[in-house]
Amino acid sequence: YEASIISQIIKDNNVKNILELGPGPGALCNIILRDNTINEYHLIDIEAASIANKKMKLGGTFHVRDLNNGFNLELPNKTDLLIANDFLEHIQNPAKTILDVKSMI
């Protein structure tokens, strides 16, 4: 269900570069990449999620970071859309994570 809403946002706003926080292995990314023309799709999560992403060939560019402890990441292009679907309620300091992301985009 979320993928259809996000796909409509992508189409309505000509989104080309996406950053997703806490995607797990990247199932949502896989659907969005399949249904839309995206230049860059970056995912940030723990190592186990990255391993699952590669094993399942779900796509996107995976960055391993512990989102509970703050992080820094330089992306090659401006992010048009930030996705934090079912994620912020699971981390210790969501406000710090949002501030870290804000400094990146």
Side-chain angles (χ1 to χ4, degrees):
Y1 176 74
E2 293 93 350
S4 63
I5 293 169
I6 294 169
S7 287
Q8 191 60 52
I9 292 168
I10 289 167
K11 289 176 177 97
D12 290 347
N13 295 283
N14 194 33
V15 169
K16 296 297 179 192
N17 300 309
I18 297 174
L19 172 61
E20 185 175 359
L21 303 178
L28 179 62
C29 168
N30 187 272
I31 296 168
I32 290 173
L33 289 174
R34 180 191 69 208
D35 296 343
N36 298 279
T37 303
I38 303 296
N39 292 342
E40 294 179 11
Y41 197 121
H42 295 272
L43 307 101
I44 304 175
D45 209 330
I46 62 175
E47 185 175 10
S50 175
I51 291 167
N53 176 279
K54 289 177 184 139
K55 183 177 181 180
M56 297 165 45
K57 300 178 182 173
L58 294 174
T61 302
F62 220 101
H63 307 274
V64 175
R65 300 286 190 282
D66 179 355
L67 295 170
N68 279 308
N69 296 318
F71 62 96
N72 185 16
L73 178 67
E74 287 189 32
L75 299 175
N77 292 301
K78 179 183 157 285
T79 297
D80 301 318
L81 179 65
L82 170 66
I83 299 172
N85 184 42
D86 192 29
F87 163 71
L88 291 173
E89 68 272 21
H90 297 286
I91 59 173
Q92 296 167 0
N93 192 345
K96 171 132 179 53
T97 299
I98 294 298
L99 289 172
D100 288 344
V101 170
K102 184 180 176 189
S103 71
M104 293 170 32
I105 56 176

